[in-house]
Amino acid sequence: MGTVLLSCKKFLDEKPISVSTDQTFWRNESDADKGVASAYALLRASLNTNGMAFYAYGDLPTDEYNTNEYRLGDVAKINWSVSVPFAETGDRMMKLRRYDLFYRTIDQSNRCIQFIGKMTDDQFSSVAAKNNFLGEAYFLRAFNYFYMARIWGDVPLVVQSVNITEAVDLPRSPQNEILKQCIKDINMAISLLSWDYSNANNRAVRANKGAAYALLAHLYAWQGDYANCTTAASAILDRKFYQYENRASYLNIFKGKSAEGIFEIAQSDENEGNTTGISFYTLKSPYLTTNTGNALFIINQNTLSSLFNDSQDLRFQKAFALTSTTDPICIKYSNITYTSGQNVTVGVAHNNIIIFRLADITLLKAEALAALGQYDEAKNYLNEVRTKAGLNSWEGTNGNLFEGIIDERGRELFLEGHRFYDLVRLGRKTGIMKFGNDKMGQGDFNAGKYYWPLDPALMSINKKLTQTPYWRSKM
């Protein structure tokens, strides 16, 4: 990749480029860099909706946690049809049922693809630099569409930047069409991106070829296309570009930019972080000194004891605390600093959102191989991760290997935004329901309850939208 002009500490501060400035903005490599950086900033805003949208979608509606927090308790129970007045635009449930921010990221990605593509090679320090900016834009567009497809299923498809005055209502496109576009974009990104970073400080927080292959592997797994999933995962594992973080220092992963990180959302630098994110729902004193009571999210102790049935598991030892009490906590996001102002102490969390990492892809390949009946090879990849955690080789039958790998993902990736989608794949493949606490049984699962409804406010704006099938009679 050519020279990256923006430091990591500044690149997520970039604002989206407005349509009114497009004709005068895209003049040089610095402009292209700022344009792409603003798309990352919008993605971060999307995943931080309510301080923790990434975890609200990927962890809360599972067997990991329960909570009585306003609206988030409904999210956890998969009671996603709760009524919210149109005027309550700040309501947590409304925000989670709306996809506006994702489309802002897509529009910015479309703008980058359109205008960087028109820039001449001599406006960049190298052709490789131009290609990487374009590759990042294609990756970001694909990531946002894939992410929305897992949440809502069918969503409108827009692949051109649109002036708001010229915008038209669009219906929801079938999920298979969305994913076809994603595959096209990811393959374009793979052809343009490099593996290395010219600026080491951008490791994992800007997309490279590995991030694109990881996205592709997850997309194929979601589709149940495990042959192609294996190929995409192998492209990462065979390259050996990433290394496992020593499980004795497991928490370093969540501080960000570890050797294991493939793609992350940057918020670990001093000028980043937040005061309302996942840390403030899952931690308490002494790991978060501003909370002297119980954690706001309550770990399901049955799940904890079932997943971590071996106390020698380094992940259990390093990523959990207070495990002998009635209120154990996960401390993956305990990188906290404290600031004082007006006699009030405020904790600020500096933990990256870890989207893809090496152990995730290793276990995804194991899952794919198990689904394809290649059991011995699947066990090799499964045991690779277990060995790192200080565990013995997996014991079980070939018939329950797929479930065993999903369980291992539950151990390795606890509270990392994967569990809900992993359990959907488990349900599709085996019919086993592990969402917990009667959140979703087989009948509701088969009817598509795992796809979120659209907020009615969206449907009042776009008259061509229809409600997610399962929720039509419930909204």
Side-chain angles (χ1 to χ4, degrees):
M1 183 172 179
T3 304
V4 176
L5 304 176
L6 293 172
S7 73
C8 182
K9 293 183 68 172
K10 295 181 179 178
F11 93 88
L12 283 182
D13 295 329
E14 290 301 317
K15 301 296 187 291
I17 311 307
S18 66
V19 173
S20 62
T21 61
D22 274 332
Q23 301 308 318
T24 59
F25 178 77
W26 304 90
R27 301 161 301 176
N28 52 46
E29 183 169 329
S30 176
D31 288 349
D33 194 20
K34 291 176 181 177
V36 173
S38 68
Y40 284 103
L42 288 166
L43 175 58
R44 180 171 70 171
S46 301
L47 298 183
N48 277 326
T49 299
N50 295 326
M52 51 154 295
F54 179 75
Y55 307 97
Y57 292 129
D59 289 295
L60 202 48
T62 74
D63 58 345
E64 291 178 341
Y65 282 94
N66 292 295
T67 183
N68 295 318
E69 283 292 285
Y70 183 69
R71 295 300 195 214
L72 296 179
D74 290 309
V75 173
K77 296 171 187 172
I78 317 188
N79 181 22
W80 299 339
S81 60
V82 61
S83 179
V84 179
F86 281 14
E88 300 294 330
T89 55
D91 187 281
R92 288 168 167 170
M93 185 65 76
M94 178 184 285
K95 284 185 173 182
L96 289 168
R97 293 192 305 220
R98 295 186 64 143
Y99 48 49
D100 311 54
L101 284 174
F102 292 107
Y103 277 102
R104 289 186 64 197
T105 313
I106 288 169
D107 186 67
Q108 184 63 22
S109 302
N110 288 340
R111 180 169 283 112
C112 290
I113 291 168
Q114 177 182 345
F115 287 97
I116 296 174
K118 291 179 179 178
M119 294 172 70
T120 59
D121 292 348
D122 61 8
Q123 291 175 283
F124 295 84
S125 59
S126 67
V127 174
K130 177 182 179 181
N131 286 344
N132 270 276
F133 291 131
L134 275 173
E136 288 180 280
Y138 278 108
F139 169 87
L140 286 166
R141 183 166 75 182
F143 180 87
N144 277 269
Y145 272 123
F146 173 59
Y147 202 83
M148 287 196 297
R150 290 194 304 183
I151 297 169
W152 288 284
D154 304 343
V155 294
L157 180 61
V158 184
V159 292
Q160 297 292 330
S161 179
V162 178
N163 189 323
I164 190 66
T165 61
E166 301 170 356
V168 297
D169 289 351
L170 292 173
R172 301 171 75 164
S173 295
Q175 183 179 170
N176 66 332
E177 291 184 15
I178 300 295
L179 297 181
K180 283 180 182 178
Q181 180 64 47
C182 287
I183 293 170
K184 180 179 178 181
D185 283 349
I186 298 169
N187 284 326
M188 180 64 76
I190 288 170
S191 73
L192 293 165
L193 291 167
S194 62
W195 282 94
D196 294 317
Y197 304 93
S198 64
N199 182 342
N201 202 39
N202 286 332
R203 182 183 179 93
V205 299
R206 295 189 72 151
N208 69 342
K209 201 182 291 284
Y213 275 121
L215 177 58
L216 189 60
H218 270 279
L219 187 153
Y220 281 131
W222 184 253
Q223 286 186 313
D225 184 349
Y226 282 114
N228 276 317
C229 175
T230 300
T231 301
S234 296
I236 297 170
L237 302 180
D238 294 349
R239 181 81 181 191
K240 301 188 184 305
F241 184 81
Y242 306 97
Q243 294 80 43
Y244 291 100
E245 184 73 28
N246 190 309
R247 282 352 186 206
S249 54
Y250 191 55
L251 293 185
N252 286 344
I253 292 170
F254 311 99
K255 294 178 181 179
K257 304 177 188 177
S258 73
E260 189 161 331
I262 297 176
F263 182 58
E264 308 171 4
I265 302 299
Q267 46 195 30
S268 60
D269 280 331
E270 288 184 9
N271 71 320
E272 298 168 346
N274 61 70
T275 59
T276 59
I278 191 65
S279 301
F280 303 93
Y281 291 98
T282 57
L283 298 178
K284 64 178 183 178
S285 184
Y287 299 91
L288 179 64
T289 60
T290 54
N291 179 14
T292 56
N294 288 338
L296 298 175
F297 284 3
I298 306 159
I299 286 184
N300 185 326
Q301 294 197 58
N302 289 333
T303 298
L304 193 64
S305 60
S306 174
L307 286 176
F308 295 97
N309 52 11
D310 188 334
S311 62
Q312 299 307 304
D313 193 324
L314 290 173
R315 298 163 300 189
F316 180 70
Q317 295 178 2
K318 301 299 181 181
F320 295 87
L322 310 176
T323 52
S324 62
T325 73
T326 58
D327 189 34
I329 58 174
C330 178
I331 58 171
K332 286 184 174 181
Y333 306 107
S334 56
N335 187 29
I336 309 288
T337 60
Y338 296 91
T339 60
S340 298
Q342 298 181 337
N343 299 317
V344 177
T345 299
V346 177
V348 182
H350 298 284
N351 310 283
N352 282 0
I353 298 176
I354 312 301
I355 307 290
F356 305 130
R357 61 182 177 92
L358 179 59
D360 157 39
I361 299 303
T362 302
L363 290 173
L364 199 66
K365 182 169 182 179
E367 175 186 328
L369 291 167
L372 295 169
Q374 299 177 39
Y375 301 118
D376 289 342
E377 192 175 0
K379 291 173 188 175
N380 288 338
Y381 285 99
L382 168 59
N383 289 330
E384 180 178 310
V385 174
R386 289 178 61 84
T387 299
K388 297 293 181 183
L391 298 180
N392 294 326
S393 295
W394 183 82
E395 295 180 358
T397 67
N398 291 341
N400 62 13
L401 178 58
F402 189 94
E403 180 186 0
I405 293 167
I406 296 296
D407 285 346
E408 196 65 41
R409 288 181 62 82
R411 283 183 280 274
E412 179 66 38
L413 305 171
F414 192 97
L415 196 57
E416 295 184 43
H418 287 283
R419 182 68 168 169
F420 186 76
Y421 313 111
D422 290 352
L423 295 184
V424 170
R425 297 197 307 276
L426 177 66
R428 288 173 172 174
K429 181 68 176 174
T430 68
I432 297 171
M433 299 289 109
K434 288 194 173 183
F435 296 93
N437 299 325
D438 298 322
K439 296 181 180 186
M440 181 158 49
Q442 185 74 62
D444 285 338
F445 181 86
N446 292 342
K449 186 179 182 181
Y450 53 85
Y451 289 123
W452 278 68
L454 295 179
D455 194 85
L458 284 177
M459 302 174 71
S460 71
I461 297 169
N462 180 350
K463 303 300 183 183
K464 291 189 177 181
L465 292 177
T466 56
Q467 189 53 272
T468 306
Y470 176 87
W471 301 98
R472 283 175 186 166
S473 62
K474 299 172 180 64
M475 297 291 288

